[in-house]
Amino acid sequence: MNVPPERPDAERALRRLLAIMDRLRDPDGGCPWDLEQSFETIAPYTIEEAYEVRDAIQGGDRQALKDELGDLLFQVVFHARMAAEEGSFDFAAVADAISDKMERRHPHVFGDARIADAAAQTDAWERHKAAERAAKDQNSLLDDVPGALPALQRAQKLSKRAARVGFDWPDLGPVLDKIDEERCELKDAIATGNRARIADELGDVLFAYANLARHLDLDAEEALRGSNDKFYMRFRYIELDLQKEGRPIADVGLDAMEALWQQAKKLDPKG
């Protein structure tokens, strides 16, 4: 693959961004809002920017992707600046750390190791990660699955990790049986009216479905996003149709909305 080299002014552009961040956080004339921020207050923006990168990719909009990657890079710079202020690390240390990690995890590229194919590389990658967990005194196979991941995504990653050491069903049959079992337990919990128990059993149902997605080699998070988008488009169809007729949506009743929903469903090429 012929990849053009990075622009020669990339280093200049990065220095400019770092200087802007320094100025924003300067107690003498910096931005009051930026000066008030902390790791905790900025973290939600960091997560939001990562999702906006994903949306730009999904939309196929490269201009938007460029902008959103810039926003995400700014978040990295912001966190690094705050860390430098407290004497923990700086942006250079962040860049060096990821460079070191990539070289360490790709000895077949940056060293003398030989990797036969992508599957072998995946196995080698996992061995490197296991060694890094041990070095950090993370003794569980699950220790470095981030707790801040979306819950459905984390559920799938946890079950995938456990499956690597054989804690898994061999085929779909027991997975589907487990879903049926969890649904029955949820029904029983609902009958008790105990909200804590209901929440616990609902979580088990969702976890079981995430495990099913893994067995089907599907991304549970992506599947749910698709259903979210589908719901949005069909409900929007109901709203727009009623607006054309001048009928307030709150007044039409469920039967009328269901009829419009079925119309929207027929227009959906995915069915």
Side-chain angles (χ1 to χ4, degrees), residues 100-144:
D100 291 344
K101 182 185 294 184
M102 289 302 101
E103 290 179 353
R104 187 169 62 248
R105 291 185 179 179
H106 294 84
H108 56 297
V109 176
F110 301 104
D112 298 328
R114 294 290 178 265
I115 297 292
D117 51 31
Q121 166 57 17
T122 299
D123 289 340
W125 181 276
E126 291 304 326
R127 288 196 299 273
H128 283 293
K129 290 177 69 175
E132 289 168 4
R133 283 195 297 272
K136 295 176 182 176
D137 201 27
Q138 293 176 335
N139 298 314
S140 171
L141 189 66
L142 310 178
D143 275 346
D144 64 341

Side-chain angles (χ1 to χ4, degrees), residues 63-157:
Q63 177 62 42
L65 178 58
K66 181 196 73 173
D67 292 342
E68 298 303 342
L69 285 171
D71 290 344
L72 186 57
L73 176 59
F74 185 77
Q75 293 295 308
V76 176
V77 168
F78 207 140
H79 284 285
R81 168 66 192 194
M82 290 186 291
E85 291 171 359
E86 69 177 22
S88 299
F89 56 83
D90 59 11
F91 182 84
V94 173
D96 279 338
I98 187 60
S99 296
D100 291 344
K101 182 185 294 184
M102 289 302 101
E103 290 179 353
R104 187 169 62 248
R105 291 185 179 179
H106 294 84
H108 56 297
V109 176
F110 301 104
D112 298 328
R114 294 290 178 265
I115 297 292
D117 51 31
Q121 166 57 17
T122 299
D123 289 340
W125 181 276
E126 291 304 326
R127 288 196 299 273
H128 283 293
K129 290 177 69 175
E132 289 168 4
R133 283 195 297 272
K136 295 176 182 176
D137 201 27
Q138 293 176 335
N139 298 314
S140 171
L141 189 66
L142 310 178
D143 275 346
D144 64 341
V145 179
L149 283 174
L152 198 62
Q153 184 179 359
R154 185 166 188 252
Q156 194 161 348
K157 282 184 174 291

Side-chain angles (χ1 to χ4, degrees), residues 204-251:
D204 288 347
V205 170
L206 294 172
F207 191 95
Y209 274 111
N211 197 28
L212 173 63
R214 180 178 60 81
H215 272 264
L216 294 172
D217 197 25
L218 294 170
D219 187 318
E221 198 74 27
E222 287 296 324
L224 184 56
R225 286 193 188 105
S227 291
N228 288 341
D229 292 342
K230 182 165 57 178
F231 182 91
Y232 175 88
M233 295 302 296
R234 291 178 184 176
F235 190 79
R236 189 66 183 134
Y237 177 89
I238 295 172
E239 289 181 315
L240 292 173
D241 189 90
L242 293 173
Q243 286 174 11
K244 290 177 185 176
E245 297 181 12
R247 301 166 65 192
I249 192 170
D251 297 342

Side-chain angles (χ1 to χ4, degrees), residues 166-223:
F167 192 70
D168 195 16
W169 286 295
D171 52 53
L172 278 178
V175 180
L176 295 170
D177 290 343
K178 184 63 175 177
I179 288 174
D180 290 339
E181 174 190 327
E182 297 296 354
R183 290 176 61 190
C184 287
E185 291 180 4
L186 175 59
K187 288 180 182 179
D188 291 343
I190 291 171
T192 69
N194 184 319
R195 290 187 61 80
R197 183 181 168 193
I198 293 169
D200 185 60
E201 296 299 344
L202 177 60
D204 288 347
V205 170
L206 294 172
F207 191 95
Y209 274 111
N211 197 28
L212 173 63
R214 180 178 60 81
H215 272 264
L216 294 172
D217 197 25
L218 294 170
D219 187 318
E221 198 74 27
E222 287 296 324

